[in-house]
Amino acid sequence: MPNLTISSGRFISFEGSEGSGKSTQITRLIGRLRHAGREIVSTREPGGTDLGERIRDILLHKDEGQGMCPESELLLFAAARAQLVRTVIIPALQRGAIVISDRYLDSSTVYQGAARNLAPGPVAAVNGFAIGDVLPHLTVVIDVPTEVSLARVRQRSAGQPDRIEREDAPFFKKVREAYLQLGRNWPQRVVIFDGTQSPDDIENKIWAEVQKRLG
Ligand code: Z5A
């Protein structure tokens, strides 16, 4: 949990496979929370700072990123995260805002750990170094079968997938399994939602969980 001596805010992260519906649900949750009069700080990973957006470009789009080894990939995601935590997330939590992040440390556990086969110990150590003690109060995982997620992404990307989108189906199956495992490992923080339901149904279920857990 975030260090409550420095933080009176609340922190929610969204996770899931690409195309699972995170952005859709983040927009809807922000609408509800703003209606309730709360200050919302919405961010994304990798990115959310000038430095983080440059790193995002290298990780996903630039030629320099092609052929990067999994260890470099892990460290670049962590570098972007460390900057985001210290310059955006902690100040917002200190002001009492609700921070909503599209991806956070669990993405590294799942993509670089489970899917790229990096050992869990070093991945956890790098994650810990990047975030300090700033863990989300609630992590929303939107789960969809791999075939559904790949079909949604293909439809949207129109033939221009980024470096990670170009991975094969077994990679994304490992991603999905690892998210489901996270839900079993951390039930107090991580809640899994069925992303094959209608956007309205998912929105209502997330809203109920946010009210229950964050007050
Ligand atoms: N990555 C990593 O490897 N390690 C890390 O530490 C971090 C990230 C932080 C970032 O991708 C990539 O970096 C990501 C993991 C890796 N790569 N992958 N794969 P990104 O930021 O470019 O994208 P994303 O985070 O994966 O999300 P996305 O592609 O933008 O998808 P989404 O936000 O989950 O879904 P969406 O945009 O809301 O919806 C997708 C489509 O489905 C859209 O057409 C919607 O209208 C539709 N949709 C949404 N909900 C529904 C429902 N309920 N039913 C039917 N259709 C729906």
Side-chain angles (χ1 to χ4, degrees):
M1 290 289 160
N3 180 344
L4 293 179
T5 59
I6 63 159
S7 141
S8 56
R10 289 288 178 270
F11 181 15
I12 305 171
S13 61
F14 276 69
E15 296 278 355
S17 304
E18 194 145 22
S20 57
K22 297 182 303 300
S23 312
T24 304
Q25 292 302 327
I26 286 171
T27 304
R28 287 167 176 244
L29 179 60
I30 288 174
R32 289 210 184 202
L33 289 167
R34 288 223 165 100
H35 193 67
R38 297 297 302 255
E39 183 199 352
I40 310 299
V41 173
S42 172
T43 188
R44 70 169 180 179
E45 277 211 30
T49 64
D50 290 346
L51 176 63
E53 292 295 329
R54 294 289 291 273
I55 294 173
R56 177 187 180 90
D57 225 17
I58 295 171
L59 278 162
L60 300 182
H61 304 297
K62 291 279 191 195
D63 288 346
E64 299 93 298
Q66 304 307 318
M68 111 176 29
C69 65
E71 290 80 359
S72 298
E73 188 179 89
L74 173 70
L75 291 166
L76 284 172
F77 279 115
R81 181 168 306 133
Q83 188 71 15
L84 181 70
V85 167
R86 282 154 189 83
T87 64
V88 176
I89 294 178
I90 289 175
L93 292 174
Q94 285 172 329
R95 289 198 306 275
I98 297 179
V99 176
I100 299 182
S101 185
D102 189 341
R103 299 191 178 280
Y104 193 54
L105 84 158
D106 299 305
S107 285
S108 287
T109 305
V110 165
Y111 283 82
Q112 282 64 57
R116 295 268 193 241
N117 294 317
L118 290 179
V123 173
V126 169
N127 268 343
F129 187 59
I131 70 169
D133 59 2
V134 185
L135 271 175
H137 294 90
L138 170 65
T139 296
V140 170
V141 173
I142 305 184
D143 173 58
V144 291
T146 305
E147 304 70 41
V148 173
S149 120
L150 291 178
R152 286 187 193 167
V153 171
R154 273 190 213 113
Q155 197 174 21
R156 187 195 49 190
S157 301
Q160 303 229 334
D162 66 37
R163 191 178 62 85
I164 296 181
E165 285 170 349
R166 288 197 289 273
E167 292 297 335
D168 56 13
F171 178 93
F172 291 107
K173 284 189 194 302
K174 284 189 201 167
V175 165
R176 183 189 184 202
E177 281 312 312
Y179 274 126
L180 294 174
Q181 187 61 45
L182 273 183
R184 292 189 282 271
N185 291 350
W186 305 101
Q188 289 89 351
R189 173 173 70 84
V190 179
V191 184
I192 312 274
F193 294 85
D194 177 358
T196 63
Q197 297 177 336
S198 76
D200 285 351
D201 284 347
I202 303 168
E203 175 187 345
N204 288 333
K205 287 182 177 144
I206 292 174
W207 181 239
E209 197 66 36
V210 166
Q211 287 181 303
K212 188 170 92 188
R213 292 191 176 234
L214 305 192

